[in-house]
Amino acid sequence: MERLVYSDVRETLYREVLPNGLEVIVLPKEGFRKTYATFSTRYGSIDNRFAVGDRPPIEVPDGIAHFLEHKMFEEPTGDIFATFASQGASANAFTSFDRTVYLFSATEQIEKNLVTLLDFVQHPYFTDENVEKEKGIIEQEINMYRDNADWRVYFGLIDAMYHNHPIHIDIAGTVESIRQIDKATLYRCYETFYHPGNMMLFVVGGVDAERIFGLVRDNQSRKSFPPQEEIRRFFDAEPESVKKPKTKAVLPVSLPKCMFGFKEKRTGFTGRELQRREAATKLMLESLIGPSSPLYQSLYDDNLISDSFGHEYNSAPDYAFSVIGGDTPDPDALLDRFRVAVDRALADGLQKTSFERAKRKKSAVICAC
């Protein structure tokens, strides 16, 4: 077990990679009552074309990572949510562009809930019948999001930025793509991406690190996994340009929604370099347009934005983009004001007080984890 001390944020992590490849990280928080655990796999919506080892590449239907996440909660004995609830835990899961994460939070029966988390994620149960049933459920979810203005504008923006990269495809896929999913393909994807060597368990809260590691080691030693082969992912070449400078959709909303983004031309960053780039970009966005920035306050005072206005940054080795926006009565005026502010920041730099405030805020968030 490796001990990692981060004195700047007063945190100590414990890390170990088990013989089967599973990475386990524990962050003890003395005096904390609630514990959080996440069990994640490096598998998301963009992983629709891949190969294992020296085998030929295969292409799977869009939305299959999200579909698989849904199906993992179904066991022969019933719904796993009920098991967590009976043990005093709140459980959930989500699929992003490049991750699928299963999680729970609880103040009691932590070890029992942790075993439940490990066991259900490592025990897939798919049948022809339950796969067909799930298609109807996810189809309803897809149709529901089609009526969600915030979701439509967000993915409309990503689709306008990217020509070929699968990040522009909705995480849930399409009604047509999920109809192509079958039991065999689900097992194929599960066996590829849910190997312990492609996964990480993270536990934070009022726990004893030694006990957690002992429990996880014992749990994993009782299970058998084949050696993991290299996973190769394939993406079509993506031009530096955006696909469409502007796009528009008409939906019944009380105020127009304006979202604008920046697609980065330089990609390929990994590891610490990618982490530094992400931290720097988030600091820049918070300094420039965060709720405490002069720009945000002036836009708010002029009624060009509301408290729905915000920003985010997404990055991975093969893509990176910023998203900014929210409700506004005048999208064109908002964009004009933002362009002026960006030109000023490029010429004069970020305001020092805004940058220092953003840096302190980020440090406070890290310390409060």
Side-chain angles (χ1 to χ4, degrees), residues 96-110:
S96 68
F97 299 121
D98 58 1
R99 292 287 188 277
T100 305
V101 182
Y102 302 86
L103 58 119
F104 78 82
S105 62
T107 57
E108 57 182 326
Q109 301 189 72
I110 303 303

Side-chain angles (χ1 to χ4, degrees), residues 289 291-307 309 327-329 334 337:
I289 196 64
S292 300
S293 67
L295 175 58
Y296 184 103
Q297 191 61 50
S298 68
L299 294 173
Y300 190 87
D301 291 343
D302 293 341
N303 295 315
L304 276 175
I305 63 172
S306 67
D307 55 10
F309 192 82
D327 296 342
T328 178
L334 172 61
R337 291 277 292 274

Side-chain angles (χ1 to χ4, degrees), residues 73 80-81 84 89-93 103-105:
F73 281 93
I80 203 70
F81 282 112
F84 277 111
S90 173
N92 211 335
L103 58 119
F104 78 82
S105 62

Side-chain angles (χ1 to χ4, degrees), residues 208-311:
D208 178 85
E210 285 284 3
R211 283 187 62 87
I212 295 298
F213 277 104
L215 180 149
V216 177
R217 290 188 203 111
D218 179 67
N219 177 275
Q220 295 298 285
S221 69
R222 298 171 187 269
K223 300 170 183 176
S224 175
F225 300 92
Q228 187 187 28
E229 298 181 89
E230 179 191 4
I231 301 172
R232 294 177 290 133
R233 296 163 167 89
F234 300 91
F235 304 107
D236 291 332
E238 176 64 35
E240 290 185 352
S241 64
V242 297
K243 184 168 71 175
K244 290 183 273 187
K246 187 175 182 180
T247 187
K248 184 177 180 180
V250 179
L251 291 167
V253 292
S254 57
L255 272 178
K257 294 180 182 293
C258 176
M259 196 163 278
F260 46 99
F262 297 87
K263 173 186 175 182
E264 294 191 10
K265 296 180 180 180
R266 293 181 61 202
T267 57
F269 300 100
T270 59
R272 187 175 293 273
E273 192 176 21
L274 179 64
Q275 189 178 38
R276 287 176 62 86
R277 190 175 181 85
E278 181 173 326
T281 305
K282 288 182 176 180
L283 272 176
M284 179 273 295
L285 288 170
E286 185 68 22
S287 304
L288 180 65
I289 196 64
S292 300
S293 67
L295 175 58
Y296 184 103
Q297 191 61 50
S298 68
L299 294 173
Y300 190 87
D301 291 343
D302 293 341
N303 295 315
L304 276 175
I305 63 172
S306 67
D307 55 10
S308 70
F309 192 82
H311 60 81

